[in-house]
Each structure stands twice: as C-alpha cells, then as structure tokens.
Amino acid sequence: MLPSNKVRRLLLKGDLISEAQWEHAQGEGGDAVQTLIEQGVLSEESIAETVCSAAGIAPINLGQIVPDPEALASISESECKRLRVLPLTKNADVLTLAVTDPFDVLLFDDIRRETGCYVRTVYANSPALASALDVAFDHGAEQVADMMAEVSVSEDVHIEEQDETQDIAQEGGEESEAPAVKLVNLILLRALKAKASDIHIEPGERSVGVRYRIDGRMRAIMSPPKAILPSLTSRLKILAKLDIAERQVPQDGKFQIRYEGRSIDCRLSVLPVVGGEKCVIRILDAGSMAMALESMGYEPKCLEDIREAIESPYGMLLVTGPTGSGKSTTLYSCVQAVASEEINVTTVEDPVEYQMDGINQVPVNPKRGLTFAGALRSILRQDPDVVLLGEIRDKETADIAVKAALTGHLVLSTLHTNDAPGTISRLADMGVDPFMVSSSVLCVCAQRLGRRLCSHCRQPIDRPSPEKLVEWGLQRSDLLDEHTFYEADPAGCRQCNQGYLGRFPIFETMKISPEIKRLIIEGASKADLKSRAIDEGMLTLRRVGMLNAARGVTTIEEILRVTLGD
C-alpha cells in the first residue's frame, strides 16, 4: 500500500521535497516516503509533524504500546500486514489504529464495515509500524510452549533428514513433525529476524540455554527442558552432515538454509562439555554484507590509507583484531574494490565464508593435507595478481606470504593482535626477518566493532569537560560546537535492542612510512612504533571511537568498553 497523493502534496507544499525527488523515489519501488528517508532527503520528525498537523491526529511511540488482544483479534494478521495498520485498543465500538497514511478514508471505511467499529487513527512511521506488527503477531512463544509440551510427553524424538537446503520460514507446519525439528527451525528463524550473528545452545543442569549474539552482546532467548538436548544436537548434526553417534570429540560442519528468498550459510561447531554437547551456529548472511568500502563507515583517513594500499601493484595489507571484529568483511570489501576481469584474484580461507563471483576461492582442508602454507604455494604457481589469505597462523605461512608480497603480488591477510603497531611485534615473534617485514608490509589495520546508537530513542547528555574527553582519547582540536553526546535508553524501542541498533567499524590504520621502516629494521618496541605513527597522523582505535561518540553514533561507555586507552 503506497502513500496517498495527499501525503505527496503535503510534502511538496511544505518544500520538504521536489517533484523530481518524489518521482525518483517512486521509481525505486516500495514505499516512496521510506525511500526518501533512507536517502536522507526527509527526516521522520519532519514527516510526522507535517502529516499529523494536516490530519489533526497525534503521533504515537509504538515502542511504548502493547496492543490490546481484543483489538488485534478484530483484523487478521495477513490483512494488518497487507494494509499496514495495527489495531491498538478497542473501547466499545471505537477501534484505534496505528497507520502510516491517515488520509486513506476509503480504507478506513472498508475497515469500519468489516469490524463494525468506528475507526480512530494515530500516526506511526513505516519502520516502527513494520517492527510492531512483527512483535504483535510473533507466535514464537506459543510455538515453544507447544513444543515443550510435546517434549515432556516423550523424550525419545526421532528426526528425519531433510533436504540440504530448506526454507525455514515455511517449516513447522506439519503436526507430525518432530518437536526438535520444529524447535531448531524456530531458533534459526528467530535468530535471523533478530539479526543475530551467532546462536549458542548450551546444556545446563535442568534446562538448555539458548542465547543469541546480537550486535556483539549475548542475550538469553529461551530455556527448553534438558530432555530435548540430545534431539536438538542430533538434528543440527544431521543438517551439517556430522556423525550423530560421536559425542566425545569436537565436530565442525556447515549447512545452508533459505530465508526471505536468499540462501544463508550456517557454520556449526559442536563441543563436548559437562552435561552434554554445546552447539554454536555462526550465521553468515552474505545478503546483509555491505561490500563497498565507502559504505563501511570508515574514517576518511583510514579509508584513504586502505585505498592507497590496495591500489599498490604489490605488497601486503594486514587487518588485525579479535574473532568477530569484522576482519573478513573488510578483506572481502577490499577484494571487491580491486576485482575486475583484468585481475586474477585467488583466496585461501578456513572456511570460505562468502562466495563471490569471479573470485577463485580455495577452502583449507588440513585433514587432507591442504594447509594455508600448502595452498599458498600452489596459488603462487597459478599466476595470481591478488591473494587473500584468510589468516597468517605460523612462520611458514608468514614467510611465504611475505615473499609473495615482495615478488609482485598484492597480499591481503589477517592476524590476531590488539592494535596495528603490535602486528609488527607479532610477525617478529613468528620469526619473520624485520627487514622482510619492512619491505613487504604497506599498511596495518586494527579493527573493532562498536554498537551503534538507535537514532529513535537515544537521549542527549551534558557534554563532559574537555579535560575528561582528552583523558578518554580525544584531542582538543577534535571538539566542535555541533558535537552532541548521547546515552542509550536501556528500555529501547520497537526499532532497537536496548538502545542500540547494529554495529559500526572502529579502525586504526598504520602506514609503513620510511621512518617506520627504519624503526622496524632497528627492532624498535611496539611503544616506539605507536608513538611515531601517531606523530605521523595515525588515528588510534580509542580516538576514532571517541570521534564517533562525539558525532552521536555511539556512547562513551561503549567506546570505553571495546577499546583500550592510548
């Protein structure tokens, strides 16, 4: 259901948009108003003020409203989602609806005839209404309760093997389907809706803990009874083609599911622990990846340093950080930026996380003798221009990678270190000659992910004193009058997860300048390298994080949590 002409006229009359902007947004398909918001042409506040003033109705914060069950029962779920309306309350014969277009009188007449109620409208923006509809008609809790009732009757649940790829949104409809099968489908489906990156299924004393990692933080979701754990584990092993009879050694596998028309890869890790087996599922959703470097949210200087490195004909770009800090996404974005028909790009990964067209991707298989070092040696005989090496883990791999970078290849890889200067020390610890490091490495990038504040419910706070901000990592020259600091609303809203919505990268790039090369050859300490890099303009992780806090992207508390002081 598209916005009415009345909304368009109001926006044009208020000089909020031009006719050309409206036509362009309509050409994109879908909701033109929402498209204009995403393009930054309109703000939700300006639309709400314009529409509510003209319609004589009030805006509403759906994050603070729980719809009345009697009101929800008056219109079917499918109709609510088709018409984009949400019944909130029903008093006698008056039905209050949250709507995005309060001028569609024909629609309200149809609803009045269908429900036998007078219709009273309040305004909500499109994203808030869509999220509220999902929450209002989420039958997950009922499904879990029904499944648990089945499990309590019989602990011996038989699971039949399904197709390799299945659409989980369509699963769970058959009454005869095993409870564990339905519960696995539900756990996966709710994780995808919540945009979780990992699912943890953990044996407890009396129950099974199911937790999601959302925006980098763990959140408890449900606690099925302990009796279903063997069946859950077996179901996941069947999906990943693992040995269901083996319960004493760790196992790793993968499987694929379909959700909203796209294929999503899932990596399964099974680990024997006290009380049973713990299963961790990493969700690899290529459809949610922002592959363009410009869209990643890097600081301009960091982006400039990365671009300069990947545009070099040979050398090495290293990305460092802990597991789950976005290193692979950064490397894939770099590959996408340089890939073309004229360039031969080959990757060595463990495992291949996202498949890319036009790229030769080699999965490591140590059980069959295919290691990082072995694969890299073979790749260098395949005439590559760019080599993406999933991780440098040992001296042999590091030596081959360095030699490749010195012999006309651009090498992109990762290491596990805390910051950019520490990478040089890590390579030295592996036994790589300092001269070889200084000659091959172009740039080292350290990366973290911070939680992004929800723009709908964030709360401004008084600016801390300049002395305090300098203590936390900012420089006095960084502070501008327009900078506003915010805090998260712990209660959150319909749009977010306890005040945060998504994550953003915090980047530290250290270019290997002639002076830094000299220090590396001389065996300078990490502190000396960092001091020199800062003098040459390097932005540290803490400083980049605090700059984002000053812009209102995140909170000071979040930056202090994910970065170390300088």
Side-chain angles (χ1 to χ4, degrees):
M1 192 179 87
L2 299 178
S4 67
N5 286 328
K6 177 71 173 178
V7 173
R8 180 182 67 84
R9 288 196 298 271
L10 285 172
L11 297 176
L12 291 171
K13 185 178 179 180
D15 291 328
L16 297 176
I17 60 168
S18 66
E19 188 71 51
Q21 288 172 323
W22 178 268
E23 290 176 358
H24 181 266
Q26 276 195 315
E28 296 288 326
D31 188 331
V33 172
Q34 186 57 30
T35 300
L36 290 167
I37 292 174
E38 293 171 355
Q39 293 173 346
V41 177
L42 290 172
S43 69
E44 292 174 353
E45 292 76 13
S46 63
I47 295 173
E49 182 179 351
T50 301
V51 171
C52 292
S53 176
I57 63 175
I60 192 167
N61 182 358
L62 289 176
Q64 300 177 352
I65 299 292
V66 177
D68 177 30
E70 184 182 356
L72 283 176
S74 61
I75 305 177
S76 69
E77 176 181 352
S78 59
E79 282 297 283
C80 284
K81 291 184 175 180
R82 183 179 70 85
L83 302 175
R84 290 171 61 207
V85 299
L86 177 61
L88 299 177
T89 62
K90 184 177 181 183
N91 295 321
D93 60 349
V94 178
L95 182 65
T96 301
L97 291 179
V99 300
T100 59
D101 182 0
F103 305 108
D104 194 344
V105 293
L106 295 179
L107 169 65
F108 304 144
D109 284 343
D110 290 342
I111 292 175
R112 184 179 62 184
R113 283 194 295 270
E114 289 292 327
T115 62
C117 297
Y118 293 101
V119 174
R120 173 177 173 266
T121 59
V122 291
Y123 175 79
N125 62 55
S126 292
L129 185 64
S131 178
L133 283 168
D134 285 339
V135 173
F137 292 105
D138 181 12
H139 306 298
E142 298 172 16
Q143 288 177 286
V144 172
D146 292 343
M147 291 174 200
M148 295 308 99
E150 290 184 54
V151 174
S152 64
V153 173
S154 174
E155 297 183 8
D156 184 16
V157 180
H158 175 66
I159 302 175
E160 296 182 358
E161 186 167 357
Q162 302 290 315
D163 293 337
E164 184 175 349
T165 302
Q166 52 183 316
D167 190 335
I168 62 170
Q170 303 299 323
E171 296 288 333
E174 297 295 329
E175 291 296 324
S176 60
E177 196 173 37
V181 176
K182 292 192 289 184
L183 185 54
V184 166
N185 291 337
L186 180 62
I187 289 171
L188 290 169
L189 182 61
R190 295 184 75 176
L192 291 168
K193 285 185 176 181
K195 294 181 172 57
S197 60
D198 300 86
I199 304 170
H200 291 243
I201 301 174
E202 305 161 317
E205 186 176 351
R206 297 184 178 179
S207 63
V208 179
V210 178
R211 297 192 292 168
Y212 294 164
R213 186 176 293 279
I214 303 173
D215 294 340
R217 303 299 293 269
M218 298 290 286
R219 179 178 301 179
I221 301 299
M222 63 179 78
S223 299
K226 184 71 173 286
I228 201 173
L229 178 62
S231 299
L232 277 179
T233 305
S234 296
R235 171 60 180 165
L236 289 170
K237 287 180 179 179
I238 288 171
L239 287 174
K241 300 192 182 329
L242 301 180
D243 184 356
I244 62 172
E246 179 57 73
R247 299 186 178 183
Q248 303 301 319
V249 298
Q251 296 189 69
D252 296 290
K254 61 183 179 179
F255 58 94
Q256 197 174 69
I257 56 178
R258 292 194 64 79
Y259 176 65
E260 294 184 342
R262 66 181 188 273
S263 295
I264 296 171
D265 293 321
C266 297
R267 287 205 327 239
L268 172 66
S269 173
V270 183
L271 179 69
V273 297
V274 175
E277 292 177 288
K278 175 179 177 177
C279 300
V280 176
I281 306 166
R282 167 66 59 89
I283 299 173
L284 303 170
D285 185 1
S288 65
M289 287 185 68
M291 296 300 288
L293 278 172
E294 290 76 8
S295 68
M296 301 289 284
Y298 301 140
E299 289 292 314
K301 182 189 179 304
C302 297
L303 181 59
E304 180 184 339
D305 290 344
I306 294 172
R307 281 218 165 271
E308 183 177 336
I310 64 177
E311 288 172 1
S312 300
Y314 56 86
M316 186 183 297
L317 170 69
L318 295 174
V319 182
T320 78
T323 302
S325 60
K327 300 188 299 297
S328 296
T329 301
T330 297
L331 287 182
Y332 280 125
S333 298
C334 291
V335 167
Q336 287 289 92
V338 300
S340 69
E341 291 184 355
E342 293 80 25
I343 293 178
N344 177 19
V345 182
T346 307
T347 76
V348 187
E349 305 171 64
D350 182 22
V352 173
E353 295 190 6
Y354 302 101
Q355 295 185 15
M356 297 182 287
D357 291 335
I359 308 297
N360 305 294
Q361 296 175 270
V362 179
V364 169
N365 191 340
K367 292 180 180 179
R368 297 190 176 182
L370 184 58
T371 62
F372 273 111
L376 187 52
R377 283 197 196 91
S378 297
I379 282 173
L380 295 179
R381 294 192 287 270
Q382 293 272 317
D383 186 31
D385 297 298
V386 179
V387 176
L388 188 158
L389 187 59
E391 184 181 348
I392 296 178
R393 297 180 177 176
D394 50 50
K395 182 180 186 300
E396 184 183 13
T397 306
D399 281 337
I400 301 171
V402 166
K403 290 174 183 176
L406 290 173
T407 54
H409 306 91
L410 179 63
V411 179
L412 314 175
S413 190
T414 71
L415 275 174
H416 286 282
T417 61
N418 290 326
D419 56 11
T423 304
I424 306 301
S425 303
R426 176 76 178 114
L427 289 171
D429 292 341
M430 285 182 175
V432 183
D433 185 270
F435 177 77
M436 301 286 280
V437 174
S438 67
S439 302
S440 60
V441 179
L442 301 169
C443 183
V444 182
C445 313
Q447 182 167 346
R448 298 290 187 278
L449 291 178
R451 290 182 295 170
R452 188 186 298 273
L453 268 172
C454 174
S455 60
H456 298 90
C457 64
R458 64 181 183 177
Q459 302 294 325
I461 61 172
D462 294 334
R463 177 184 287 201
S465 67
E467 294 76 18
K468 202 66 179 173
L469 292 173
V470 170
E471 178 187 335
W472 287 334
L474 280 175
Q475 296 186 4
R476 291 183 183 272
S477 59
D478 295 330
L479 295 172
L480 302 175
D481 291 338
E482 61 265 26
H483 281 160
T484 303
F485 292 85
Y486 293 85
E487 64 180 2
D489 182 352
C493 64
R494 296 285 191 190
Q495 309 293 325
C496 65
N497 297 306
Q498 297 175 336
Y500 293 95
L501 185 61
R503 291 190 286 179
F504 70 98
I506 304 171
F507 236 69
E508 170 183 284
T509 54
M510 184 179 78
K511 290 174 58 178
I512 309 301
S513 66
E515 181 61 23
I516 290 179
K517 285 185 179 182
R518 182 184 64 80
L519 291 173
I520 293 172
I521 294 172
E522 293 176 355
S525 67
K526 169 185 167 182
D528 291 338
L529 288 172
K530 184 171 185 177
S531 177
R532 182 62 196 176
I534 291 175
D535 289 342
E536 293 183 356
M538 181 182 82
L539 300 176
T540 64
L541 287 168
R542 172 59 64 84
R543 187 177 174 192
V544 170
M546 288 300 297
L547 284 169
N548 279 281
R551 298 173 189 138
V553 176
T554 189
T555 62
I556 294 174
E557 292 77 15
E558 178 69 4
I559 297 306
L560 298 180
R561 182 183 71 85
V562 299
T563 64
L564 293 174
D566 298 327

